[in-house]
mmCIF file of all heavy atoms in Angstrom:
data_model
loop_
_atom_site.group_PDB
_atom_site.id
_atom_site.type_symbol
_atom_site.label_atom_id
_atom_site.label_comp_id
_atom_site.label_asym_id
_atom_site.label_seq_id
_atom_site.Cartn_x
_atom_site.Cartn_y
_atom_site.Cartn_z
ATOM 1 N N ALA A 1 -35.102 19.086 7.598
ATOM 2 C CA ALA A 1 -34.968 17.823 6.873
ATOM 3 C C ALA A 1 -33.613 17.173 7.156
ATOM 4 O O ALA A 1 -33.516 15.953 7.322
ATOM 5 C CB ALA A 1 -35.147 18.055 5.379
ATOM 6 N N VAL A 2 -32.560 17.976 7.230
ATOM 7 C CA VAL A 2 -31.221 17.461 7.555
ATOM 8 C C VAL A 2 -31.207 16.904 8.979
ATOM 9 O O VAL A 2 -30.634 15.841 9.240
ATOM 10 C CB VAL A 2 -30.164 18.566 7.387
ATOM 11 C CG1 VAL A 2 -28.814 18.113 7.955
ATOM 12 C CG2 VAL A 2 -30.004 18.946 5.919
ATOM 13 N N LEU A 3 -31.850 17.623 9.904
ATOM 14 C CA LEU A 3 -31.919 17.152 11.289
ATOM 15 C C LEU A 3 -32.601 15.799 11.366
ATOM 16 O O LEU A 3 -32.094 14.870 12.020
ATOM 17 C CB LEU A 3 -32.670 18.164 12.152
ATOM 18 C CG LEU A 3 -33.017 17.703 13.569
ATOM 19 C CD1 LEU A 3 -31.754 17.513 14.401
ATOM 20 C CD2 LEU A 3 -33.967 18.697 14.249
ATOM 21 N N LEU A 4 -33.741 15.661 10.725
ATOM 22 C CA LEU A 4 -34.476 14.402 10.749
ATOM 23 C C LEU A 4 -33.639 13.266 10.163
ATOM 24 O O LEU A 4 -33.590 12.161 10.723
ATOM 25 C CB LEU A 4 -35.782 14.548 9.970
ATOM 26 C CG LEU A 4 -36.628 13.279 9.801
ATOM 27 C CD1 LEU A 4 -36.972 12.657 11.149
ATOM 28 C CD2 LEU A 4 -37.905 13.601 9.023
ATOM 29 N N ASN A 5 -32.967 13.528 9.063
ATOM 30 C CA ASN A 5 -32.123 12.504 8.450
ATOM 31 C C ASN A 5 -30.972 12.107 9.370
ATOM 32 O O ASN A 5 -30.627 10.926 9.497
ATOM 33 C CB ASN A 5 -31.576 13.013 7.124
ATOM 34 C CG ASN A 5 -31.002 11.907 6.267
ATOM 35 O OD1 ASN A 5 -31.734 11.111 5.689
ATOM 36 N ND2 ASN A 5 -29.673 11.851 6.176
ATOM 37 N N ASP A 6 -30.370 13.094 10.039
ATOM 38 C CA ASP A 6 -29.261 12.816 10.959
ATOM 39 C C ASP A 6 -29.730 11.999 12.162
ATOM 40 O O ASP A 6 -29.007 11.125 12.657
ATOM 41 C CB ASP A 6 -28.625 14.128 11.430
ATOM 42 C CG ASP A 6 -27.819 14.811 10.344
ATOM 43 O OD1 ASP A 6 -27.591 14.185 9.283
ATOM 44 O OD2 ASP A 6 -27.422 15.986 10.534
ATOM 45 N N ILE A 7 -30.937 12.287 12.647
ATOM 46 C CA ILE A 7 -31.486 11.510 13.758
ATOM 47 C C ILE A 7 -31.671 10.059 13.336
ATOM 48 O O ILE A 7 -31.305 9.128 14.056
ATOM 49 C CB ILE A 7 -32.829 12.110 14.230
ATOM 50 C CG1 ILE A 7 -32.585 13.447 14.942
ATOM 51 C CG2 ILE A 7 -33.557 11.144 15.163
ATOM 52 C CD1 ILE A 7 -33.862 14.194 15.285
ATOM 53 N N GLY A 8 -32.241 9.852 12.143
ATOM 54 C CA GLY A 8 -32.444 8.495 11.658
ATOM 55 C C GLY A 8 -31.142 7.747 11.471
ATOM 56 O O GLY A 8 -31.026 6.564 11.832
ATOM 57 N N GLN A 9 -30.121 8.418 10.938
ATOM 58 C CA GLN A 9 -28.825 7.773 10.733
ATOM 59 C C GLN A 9 -28.155 7.454 12.064
ATOM 60 O O GLN A 9 -27.565 6.378 12.236
ATOM 61 C CB GLN A 9 -27.926 8.663 9.880
ATOM 62 C CG GLN A 9 -26.606 8.017 9.505
ATOM 63 C CD GLN A 9 -25.800 8.853 8.524
ATOM 64 O OE1 GLN A 9 -26.187 9.960 8.164
ATOM 65 N NE2 GLN A 9 -24.674 8.322 8.077
ATOM 66 N N ALA A 10 -28.230 8.383 13.010
ATOM 67 C CA ALA A 10 -27.640 8.143 14.329
ATOM 68 C C ALA A 10 -28.344 6.988 15.039
ATOM 69 O O ALA A 10 -27.707 6.209 15.764
ATOM 70 C CB ALA A 10 -27.722 9.417 15.176
ATOM 71 N N PHE A 11 -29.653 6.869 14.845
ATOM 72 C CA PHE A 11 -30.413 5.757 15.426
ATOM 73 C C PHE A 11 -29.926 4.429 14.840
ATOM 74 O O PHE A 11 -29.706 3.462 15.571
ATOM 75 C CB PHE A 11 -31.898 5.967 15.151
ATOM 76 C CG PHE A 11 -32.798 4.934 15.773
ATOM 77 C CD1 PHE A 11 -32.869 4.784 17.145
ATOM 78 C CD2 PHE A 11 -33.584 4.119 14.979
ATOM 79 C CE1 PHE A 11 -33.712 3.832 17.732
ATOM 80 C CE2 PHE A 11 -34.429 3.171 15.542
ATOM 81 C CZ PHE A 11 -34.492 3.030 16.918
ATOM 82 N N PHE A 12 -29.733 4.380 13.526
ATOM 83 C CA PHE A 12 -29.182 3.185 12.876
ATOM 84 C C PHE A 12 -27.817 2.832 13.464
ATOM 85 O O PHE A 12 -27.543 1.678 13.802
ATOM 86 C CB PHE A 12 -29.042 3.427 11.375
ATOM 87 C CG PHE A 12 -30.172 2.886 10.547
ATOM 88 C CD1 PHE A 12 -31.472 2.880 11.031
ATOM 89 C CD2 PHE A 12 -29.950 2.388 9.280
ATOM 90 C CE1 PHE A 12 -32.520 2.384 10.276
ATOM 91 C CE2 PHE A 12 -30.985 1.886 8.509
ATOM 92 C CZ PHE A 12 -32.277 1.881 9.008
ATOM 93 N N ASP A 13 -26.950 3.835 13.556
ATOM 94 C CA ASP A 13 -25.594 3.601 14.063
ATOM 95 C C ASP A 13 -25.625 3.057 15.491
ATOM 96 O O ASP A 13 -24.867 2.142 15.837
ATOM 97 C CB ASP A 13 -24.781 4.900 14.026
ATOM 98 C CG ASP A 13 -24.477 5.356 12.606
ATOM 99 O OD1 ASP A 13 -24.632 4.537 11.676
ATOM 100 O OD2 ASP A 13 -24.104 6.537 12.418
ATOM 101 N N SER A 14 -26.495 3.620 16.309
ATOM 102 C CA SER A 14 -26.579 3.197 17.703
ATOM 103 C C SER A 14 -27.092 1.762 17.813
ATOM 104 O O SER A 14 -26.579 0.964 18.608
ATOM 105 C CB SER A 14 -27.491 4.146 18.489
ATOM 106 O OG SER A 14 -27.448 3.861 19.864
ATOM 107 N N LEU A 15 -28.087 1.419 17.002
ATOM 108 C CA LEU A 15 -28.594 0.046 17.006
ATOM 109 C C LEU A 15 -27.500 -0.932 16.588
ATOM 110 O O LEU A 15 -27.338 -2.007 17.182
ATOM 111 C CB LEU A 15 -29.786 -0.080 16.054
ATOM 112 C CG LEU A 15 -31.078 0.646 16.449
ATOM 113 C CD1 LEU A 15 -32.121 0.498 15.354
ATOM 114 C CD2 LEU A 15 -31.627 0.123 17.774
ATOM 115 N N HIS A 16 -26.737 -0.553 15.567
ATOM 116 C CA HIS A 16 -25.666 -1.434 15.074
ATOM 117 C C HIS A 16 -24.610 -1.653 16.153
ATOM 118 O O HIS A 16 -24.168 -2.787 16.383
ATOM 119 C CB HIS A 16 -25.035 -0.816 13.826
ATOM 120 C CG HIS A 16 -23.871 -1.600 13.295
ATOM 121 N ND1 HIS A 16 -24.015 -2.823 12.675
ATOM 122 C CD2 HIS A 16 -22.535 -1.338 13.302
ATOM 123 C CE1 HIS A 16 -22.823 -3.281 12.331
ATOM 124 N NE2 HIS A 16 -21.914 -2.402 12.697
ATOM 125 N N VAL A 17 -24.200 -0.588 16.820
ATOM 126 C CA VAL A 17 -23.166 -0.690 17.855
ATOM 127 C C VAL A 17 -23.640 -1.568 19.011
ATOM 128 O O VAL A 17 -22.867 -2.332 19.591
ATOM 129 C CB VAL A 17 -22.786 0.715 18.363
ATOM 130 C CG1 VAL A 17 -21.958 0.630 19.635
ATOM 131 C CG2 VAL A 17 -22.012 1.472 17.301
ATOM 132 N N LYS A 18 -24.923 -1.496 19.329
ATOM 133 C CA LYS A 18 -25.457 -2.257 20.460
ATOM 134 C C LYS A 18 -25.892 -3.671 20.062
ATOM 135 O O LYS A 18 -26.401 -4.425 20.893
ATOM 136 C CB LYS A 18 -26.631 -1.491 21.075
ATOM 137 C CG LYS A 18 -26.253 -0.138 21.647
ATOM 138 C CD LYS A 18 -27.467 0.613 22.152
ATOM 139 C CE LYS A 18 -27.127 2.051 22.519
ATOM 140 N NZ LYS A 18 -26.140 2.160 23.589
ATOM 141 N N GLY A 19 -25.721 -4.007 18.775
ATOM 142 C CA GLY A 19 -26.067 -5.352 18.344
ATOM 143 C C GLY A 19 -27.551 -5.613 18.238
ATOM 144 O O GLY A 19 -27.997 -6.755 18.392
ATOM 145 N N ILE A 20 -28.326 -4.575 17.969
ATOM 146 C CA ILE A 20 -29.780 -4.699 17.861
ATOM 147 C C ILE A 20 -30.170 -4.661 16.386
ATOM 148 O O ILE A 20 -29.652 -3.833 15.629
ATOM 149 C CB ILE A 20 -30.479 -3.546 18.609
ATOM 150 C CG1 ILE A 20 -30.043 -3.528 20.078
ATOM 151 C CG2 ILE A 20 -31.995 -3.668 18.501
ATOM 152 C CD1 ILE A 20 -30.561 -2.343 20.857
ATOM 153 N N PRO A 21 -31.081 -5.528 15.943
ATOM 154 C CA PRO A 21 -31.523 -5.483 14.546
ATOM 155 C C PRO A 21 -32.014 -4.088 14.159
ATOM 156 O O PRO A 21 -32.655 -3.397 14.960
ATOM 157 C CB PRO A 21 -32.672 -6.503 14.509
ATOM 158 C CG PRO A 21 -32.334 -7.470 15.601
ATOM 159 C CD PRO A 21 -31.694 -6.648 16.683
ATOM 160 N N LEU A 22 -31.721 -3.685 12.925
ATOM 161 C CA LEU A 22 -32.059 -2.338 12.489
ATOM 162 C C LEU A 22 -33.572 -2.138 12.386
ATOM 163 O O LEU A 22 -34.302 -3.012 11.931
ATOM 164 C CB LEU A 22 -31.412 -2.046 11.128
ATOM 165 C CG LEU A 22 -29.883 -2.029 11.093
ATOM 166 C CD1 LEU A 22 -29.395 -1.680 9.694
ATOM 167 C CD2 LEU A 22 -29.312 -1.057 12.116
ATOM 168 N N HIS A 23 -34.013 -0.956 12.815
ATOM 169 C CA HIS A 23 -35.404 -0.534 12.706
ATOM 170 C C HIS A 23 -35.440 0.909 12.223
ATOM 171 O O HIS A 23 -34.574 1.711 12.596
ATOM 172 C CB HIS A 23 -36.119 -0.619 14.057
ATOM 173 C CG HIS A 23 -36.396 -2.018 14.516
ATOM 174 N ND1 HIS A 23 -35.398 -2.870 14.926
ATOM 175 C CD2 HIS A 23 -37.563 -2.709 14.614
ATOM 176 C CE1 HIS A 23 -35.946 -4.029 15.287
ATOM 177 N NE2 HIS A 23 -37.248 -3.955 15.089
ATOM 178 N N ARG A 24 -36.431 1.225 11.421
ATOM 179 C CA ARG A 24 -36.611 2.608 10.983
ATOM 180 C C ARG A 24 -37.564 3.337 11.919
ATOM 181 O O ARG A 24 -38.523 2.754 12.433
ATOM 182 C CB ARG A 24 -37.162 2.653 9.559
ATOM 183 C CG ARG A 24 -36.161 2.237 8.504
ATOM 184 C CD ARG A 24 -36.621 2.665 7.112
ATOM 185 N NE ARG A 24 -37.845 2.001 6.700
ATOM 186 C CZ ARG A 24 -38.604 2.399 5.687
ATOM 187 N NH1 ARG A 24 -38.270 3.483 5.002
ATOM 188 N NH2 ARG A 24 -39.689 1.732 5.361
ATOM 189 N N LEU A 25 -37.309 4.614 12.106
ATOM 190 C CA LEU A 25 -38.206 5.462 12.883
ATOM 191 C C LEU A 25 -39.484 5.713 12.091
ATOM 192 O O LEU A 25 -39.507 5.602 10.867
ATOM 193 C CB LEU A 25 -37.527 6.794 13.202
ATOM 194 C CG LEU A 25 -36.202 6.711 13.970
ATOM 195 C CD1 LEU A 25 -35.572 8.084 14.074
ATOM 196 C CD2 LEU A 25 -36.424 6.111 15.350
ATOM 197 N N ILE A 26 -40.550 6.078 12.794
ATOM 198 C CA ILE A 26 -41.822 6.396 12.151
ATOM 199 C C ILE A 26 -42.172 7.855 12.441
ATOM 200 O O ILE A 26 -42.296 8.255 13.599
ATOM 201 C CB ILE A 26 -42.948 5.475 12.638
ATOM 202 C CG1 ILE A 26 -42.645 4.023 12.246
ATOM 203 C CG2 ILE A 26 -44.290 5.912 12.063
ATOM 204 C CD1 ILE A 26 -43.689 3.030 12.719
ATOM 205 N N VAL A 27 -42.297 8.641 11.386
ATOM 206 C CA VAL A 27 -42.681 10.054 11.493
ATOM 207 C C VAL A 27 -44.193 10.146 11.347
ATOM 208 O O VAL A 27 -44.762 9.630 10.371
ATOM 209 C CB VAL A 27 -41.981 10.896 10.409
ATOM 210 C CG1 VAL A 27 -42.389 12.357 10.524
ATOM 211 C CG2 VAL A 27 -40.465 10.757 10.525
ATOM 212 N N THR A 28 -44.857 10.794 12.296
ATOM 213 C CA THR A 28 -46.322 10.821 12.303
ATOM 214 C C THR A 28 -46.915 12.171 11.927
ATOM 215 O O THR A 28 -48.097 12.245 11.593
ATOM 216 C CB THR A 28 -46.854 10.428 13.692
ATOM 217 O OG1 THR A 28 -46.299 11.310 14.683
ATOM 218 C CG2 THR A 28 -46.461 8.994 14.024
ATOM 219 N N SER A 29 -46.125 13.237 11.979
ATOM 220 C CA SER A 29 -46.654 14.554 11.623
ATOM 221 C C SER A 29 -45.513 15.452 11.169
ATOM 222 O O SER A 29 -44.417 15.416 11.742
ATOM 223 C CB SER A 29 -47.376 15.192 12.818
ATOM 224 O OG SER A 29 -47.982 16.404 12.441
ATOM 225 N N VAL A 30 -45.796 16.276 10.127
ATOM 226 C CA VAL A 30 -44.752 17.157 9.581
ATOM 227 C C VAL A 30 -45.348 18.559 9.401
ATOM 228 O O VAL A 30 -45.915 19.109 10.349
ATOM 229 C CB VAL A 30 -44.198 16.593 8.248
ATOM 230 C CG1 VAL A 30 -42.772 17.098 8.023
ATOM 231 C CG2 VAL A 30 -44.154 15.070 8.242
ATOM 232 N N LEU A 31 -45.246 19.112 8.218
ATOM 233 C CA LEU A 31 -45.760 20.457 7.950
ATOM 234 C C LEU A 31 -47.288 20.454 7.902
ATOM 235 O O LEU A 31 -47.900 19.637 7.207
ATOM 236 C CB LEU A 31 -45.210 20.958 6.615
ATOM 237 C CG LEU A 31 -45.822 22.248 6.062
ATOM 238 C CD1 LEU A 31 -45.442 23.437 6.921
ATOM 239 C CD2 LEU A 31 -45.408 22.462 4.619
ATOM 240 N N ARG A 32 -47.905 21.386 8.622
ATOM 241 C CA ARG A 32 -49.359 21.544 8.575
ATOM 242 C C ARG A 32 -49.712 22.882 7.925
ATOM 243 O O ARG A 32 -49.122 23.908 8.254
ATOM 244 C CB ARG A 32 -49.964 21.482 9.981
ATOM 245 C CG ARG A 32 -49.940 20.098 10.591
ATOM 246 C CD ARG A 32 -50.520 20.092 11.985
ATOM 247 N NE ARG A 32 -50.344 18.794 12.630
ATOM 248 C CZ ARG A 32 -50.355 18.603 13.938
ATOM 249 N NH1 ARG A 32 -50.541 19.622 14.757
ATOM 250 N NH2 ARG A 32 -50.188 17.395 14.436
#
């Protein structure tokens, strides 16, 4: 869960630095 949150935050940071409008990631599968 921490890894997933860190990936999402790093994605936000990278979009901001590159001047791209913010987008959220989409998770399609988790615990089965």
